[in-house]
Amino acid sequence: MPHHVDRFCAALSVLAGHGHIKQRLIDAFELHLADLDHETLPLTVKEPFADLYRTMTQVAPLNGEGAICASVRKMSIVEADECARRLVQLYGDLIRSGGNVEEPLPAVADTSEVPAILLKSV
């Protein structure tokens, strides 16, 4: 999980840098998040990230550009700004999740026997 936090942090560093919002968004996503495995994200972040990923890759690329570049190129400044805000929100959600992938807990084992260590010695 710290790996995910590091990648989102690196993406936000690019996003907060100098330059046009569209180019910063492209660079942040292409360099740090495009190849992120959605399935290893916590449940609270998994679906919103998948939605953002779809938004960032929805346009078919032309002339050798990638899907991310093509998608962001077609966005308005307001849409690009919204994607940037969603990325910041996802980072906050990831931090708040504490790294919990939220896998189902294992079934409770038979607790009828008390371990010897817990028994009071006489």
Side-chain angles (χ1 to χ4, degrees):
M1 176 54 72
H3 175 67
H4 294 321
V5 172
D6 291 343
R7 291 183 68 175
F8 270 87
C9 185
L12 289 184
S13 293
V14 171
L15 198 59
H18 181 71
H20 194 276
I21 183 63
K22 286 186 174 185
Q23 190 59 52
R24 288 181 285 136
L25 183 60
I26 290 168
D27 292 344
F29 213 82
E30 282 183 341
L31 295 173
H32 302 290
L33 301 174
D35 63 344
L36 194 67
D37 182 9
H38 304 84
E39 295 305 315
T40 60
L41 290 169
L43 289 177
T44 57
V45 178
K46 189 183 298 187
E47 191 58 37
F49 181 77
D51 290 342
L52 178 60
Y53 186 88
R54 282 189 290 277
T55 301
M56 294 290 296
T57 58
Q58 67 186 353
V59 175
L62 300 172
N63 302 325
E65 68 184 356
I68 294 168
C69 185
S71 298
V72 174
R73 179 176 45 80
K74 291 287 188 179
M75 290 179 188
S76 68
I77 297 297
V78 173
E79 291 169 323
D81 183 56
E82 179 57 31
C83 285
R85 288 179 191 194
R86 288 168 60 190
L87 203 145
V88 172
Q89 181 65 46
L90 284 170
Y91 177 70
D93 293 344
L94 183 63
I95 295 295
R96 281 188 291 279
S97 76
N100 296 326
V101 180
E102 299 181 20
E103 295 176 0
L105 295 174
V108 177
D110 180 19
T111 58
S112 59
E113 290 185 35
V114 177
I117 195 164
L118 296 177
L119 294 175
K120 185 177 180 178
S121 56
V122 180

